[in-house]
Amino acid sequence: MANEVKTFSYEQLDENTAKFLRAKENNMREIVGRAYTELGRELKEAQECLAKNRYGCFREWLRSIGIKKDAAIRLIQRYELIVSK
């Protein structure tokens, strides 16, 4: 499978290097998480603007910027979930 992720064995490293890499991994996961949340915010604002002005072209706009409808919906839902806490 092309998208298969292999588990990395931190045990092969010395303790300091393993800690360093785990911290880097956590930092990168947080960066990606924040980026997904921000994308959701931007998409929600665009969707609301288009709906408010009754343009009805949100899906067309998504296609033009290379985002699939289902992906946009998931990102918006993620954003809404996070801001509702």
Side-chain angles (χ1 to χ4, degrees):
M1 218 177 189
N3 292 333
E4 188 174 323
V5 176
K6 294 185 181 185
T7 303
F8 183 79
S9 174
Y10 287 98
E11 292 76 27
Q12 66 183 321
L13 306 172
D14 65 85
E15 186 178 343
N16 287 337
T17 304
K19 278 178 143 177
F20 176 80
L21 287 181
R22 282 190 176 108
K24 292 300 176 192
E25 178 182 351
N26 289 334
N27 290 344
M28 289 186 286
R29 289 183 189 279
E30 287 177 17
I31 290 166
V32 169
R34 285 192 307 268
Y36 285 156
T37 302
E38 289 299 309
L39 284 169
R41 180 178 58 81
E42 295 296 327
L43 289 165
K44 180 173 178 59
E45 289 175 1
Q47 182 184 45
E48 288 174 347
C49 174
L50 291 170
K52 183 174 99 175
N53 292 305
R54 300 178 186 217
Y55 285 114
C57 59
F58 184 64
R59 287 184 186 180
E60 180 183 343
W61 178 70
L62 288 175
R63 279 191 301 273
S64 77
I65 61 172
I67 298 178
K68 294 181 179 181
K69 176 189 66 113
D70 291 344
I73 290 169
R74 283 192 302 275
L75 289 166
I76 291 169
Q77 288 172 338
R78 174 194 174 93
Y79 170 74
E80 290 174 334
L81 179 66
I82 289 172
V83 297
S84 71
K85 291 183 179 182

